[in-house]
Amino acid sequence: MSATIDRILSKAANGERITFDEGVELMACHDLHKLGRAAHAVTSRLHPEPYRTYNIDRNVNYTNVCAAVCDFCAFYRKNHDADAYVLSREELYQKIEETIALGGDQILMQGGMHPTLKLEWYEDLLRDLRSRFSSVNLHAFSPPEIWHFHKINKLPLEDVLRRLKAAGLGSIPGGGGEILVDRVRKELTKNKALTDEWLEVMRVWHRLGGKSTCTMMFGHIETAAERIEHLDRLRQLQDETGGFTAFICWTMQPGHKMADAPAAGSFEYLRVQAISRLYLDNIPNIQSSWVTQGAKIGQIALFFGANDMGSLMIEENVVASAGTVHYLTLEQIKASIREAGWVPRQRNVFYELIDERPPTAPTAAADRVGTTREVNHAESGRSLPVVN
């Protein structure tokens, strides 16, 4: 077993694609150190630059009304519920203005699958926000939402996406992916896009020239092989379109109808993220999920396949509704990157650097905040300073 795992890890670390069966073999490996070293070798090969990135954006849930029923979701409401809402334009303007004031360049805007709002409502919303905030990227509407627009408006999917893009849609978040295996989706959710539908939204968007992120929420009812099936479907689509900029995974936060489900902990999170880095050889970036794991595990994730600390996330509602609340300030995010030995740099959703500071050597960055010692990252061949 150990020799087999070593062979697969060596293959992935050297840039060779691992097979589905080899991915399943890795899911049975619980040698966290070994998986982490291999994943870090891949990350270091793909990202030899002296910096690690972060983004400043805000999760805005324009409505909590949703026609879908997901066992893991504590956020959604039905139209008739007393606390159901659709945000007013004034509330949205205020949230975006606050984000810009904090240096943000993006709004991650998702809602539920509202049963009565028509496509024209979303087009008008995008046009209005685009005209008022031309510098802000609208990273909006998960694939299940867009599939819902397509169904309730009785319009071809491509027409829906063309109209949203023309109205100002900048990119699509990978929300609602959970596990892209229909057995899992049918058991966990009702009235929500199935696997091929989720992927088709991304496929058509990419063909229109759009970019998007992709995700995986694990640690519930899926099997180890189904986790690899999920990664394999993403890898296949990326081969076809090249439209995914980044992958983000996180553990399910027990709550709502799944309150008694055992939580997958940080060990499992780091293990699965490392395997994801090894399997997804064609997706360039992986984000740490400090929002669900906390600051220190989020920082350690930079050595388990992640090259990005994700977003400052000025506002987050869905994970918080499930009872998990981790907040970091911008300085804490930057400090996490510095302490790990890299220079923190701000990027946009396309992973273009948007801060004004040019890259500097890690040693210089670390020296600004404290004394350093050298730690040899054998997989990358680099010696990185760590703040004491």
Side-chain angles (χ1 to χ4, degrees):
M1 178 68 175
S2 179
T4 301
I5 293 297
D6 288 347
R7 179 187 59 76
I8 298 170
L9 293 178
S10 176
K11 184 178 174 183
N14 289 327
E16 294 181 58
R17 173 164 287 189
I18 60 176
T19 67
F20 183 94
D21 290 340
E22 289 170 336
V24 175
E25 291 265 12
L26 290 184
M27 279 291 172
C29 174
H30 287 77
D31 188 330
L32 187 62
H33 181 62
K34 190 175 282 189
L35 291 170
R37 279 197 307 170
H40 189 55
V42 173
T43 306
S44 299
R45 173 167 47 79
L46 295 174
H47 297 281
E49 56 269 13
Y51 56 82
R52 291 294 180 256
T53 47
Y54 64 91
N55 189 22
I56 300 176
D57 74 357
R58 182 171 196 152
N59 274 16
V60 175
N61 299 107
Y62 61 91
T63 180
N64 62 350
V65 176
C66 189
V69 178
C70 300
D71 289 350
F72 52 83
C73 181
F75 180 70
Y76 78 93
R77 296 292 184 273
K78 294 304 174 188
N79 222 358
H80 53 76
D81 287 340
D83 52 352
Y85 72 80
V86 176
L87 291 180
S88 68
R89 293 293 172 87
E90 287 69 26
E91 289 173 297
L92 285 169
Y93 301 157
Q94 182 181 352
K95 289 176 182 290
I96 296 174
E97 286 164 358
E98 290 171 354
T99 304
I100 294 171
L102 290 168
D105 75 314
Q106 175 171 278
I107 295 295
L108 197 174
M109 192 166 60
Q110 296 182 116
M113 293 156 49
H114 198 288
T116 60
L117 297 177
K118 295 297 185 183
L119 186 60
E120 289 76 9
W121 186 89
Y122 295 95
E123 290 177 287
D124 186 57
L125 172 66
L126 290 170
R127 286 197 190 95
D128 184 20
L129 297 182
R130 173 59 58 222
S131 67
R132 286 174 180 268
F133 307 103
S134 59
S135 64
V136 172
N137 179 57
L138 299 174
H139 187 54
F141 312 137
S142 65
E145 287 173 88
I146 293 173
W147 187 261
H148 175 71
F149 303 163
H150 149 65
K151 297 294 285 184
I152 68 168
N153 290 280
K154 297 181 172 55
L155 290 169
L157 178 61
E158 183 170 332
D159 289 357
V160 170
L161 286 165
R162 284 187 184 280
R163 286 172 59 171
L164 292 175
K165 188 176 184 185
L169 179 62
S171 52
I172 294 179
E178 288 91 52
I179 293 290
L180 293 170
V181 176
D182 282 350
R183 180 199 74 80
V184 177
R185 301 183 75 77
K186 287 177 179 177
E187 191 166 335
L188 281 181
T189 70
K190 294 181 178 65
N191 305 323
K192 194 170 183 178
L194 293 176
T195 302
D196 287 344
E197 296 162 348
W198 192 98
L199 291 165
E200 184 63 9
V201 172
M202 291 301 198
R203 177 180 288 106
V204 174
W205 176 247
H206 294 170
R207 284 177 180 167
L208 294 176
K211 296 293 184 183
S212 58
T213 55
C214 55
T215 62
M216 178 168 74
M217 184 191 77
F218 63 94
H220 37 85
I221 63 168
E222 84 285 358
T223 66
E226 286 168 339
R227 291 177 183 176
I228 295 299
E229 186 174 342
H230 175 99
L231 297 177
D232 199 62
R233 295 300 300 270
L234 295 177
R235 192 170 75 174
Q236 288 177 33
L237 185 58
Q238 183 73 344
D239 277 347
E240 182 183 332
T241 67
F244 291 127
T245 58
F247 171 81
I248 313 104
C249 67
W250 62 88
T251 56
M252 186 198 73
Q253 307 305 302
H256 196 48
K257 295 179 182 176
M258 302 185 77
D260 296 330
S266 298
F267 179 95
E268 190 67 356
Y269 163 70
L270 292 172
R271 199 176 72 84
V272 172
Q273 182 185 272
I275 294 169
S276 300
R277 177 64 287 171
L278 296 168
Y279 199 84
L280 297 173
D281 61 346
N282 55 0
I283 295 182
N285 302 291
I286 288 187
Q287 295 181 21
S288 159
S289 182
W290 61 261
V291 175
T292 60
Q293 300 299 319
K296 284 303 172 189
I297 297 299
Q299 182 187 49
I300 292 171
L302 293 175
F303 297 91
F304 284 79
N307 61 291
D308 182 276
M309 278 293 285
S311 172
L312 173 61
M313 208 168 283
I314 298 163
E315 175 181 346
E316 201 291 322
N317 301 304
V318 178
V319 173
S321 296
T324 298
V325 181
H326 294 293
Y327 293 114
L328 294 181
T329 66
L330 183 57
E331 282 310 310
Q332 287 173 319
I333 289 175
K334 290 180 178 179
S336 293
I337 295 172
R338 286 193 194 101
E339 288 167 4
W342 286 281
V343 177
R345 300 291 310 271
Q346 186 181 351
R347 53 122 184 127
N348 61 20
V349 73
F350 307 108
Y351 280 79
E352 299 164 336
L353 299 177
I354 58 172
D355 54 5
E356 295 180 353
R357 186 176 58 191
T360 56
T363 301
D367 282 348
R368 283 198 293 273
V369 292
T371 58
T372 65
R373 60 185 171 82
E374 295 294 314
V375 174
N376 181 33
H377 292 245
E379 300 78 12
S380 64
R382 299 170 53 216
S383 291
L384 301 176
V386 175
V387 177
N388 289 314

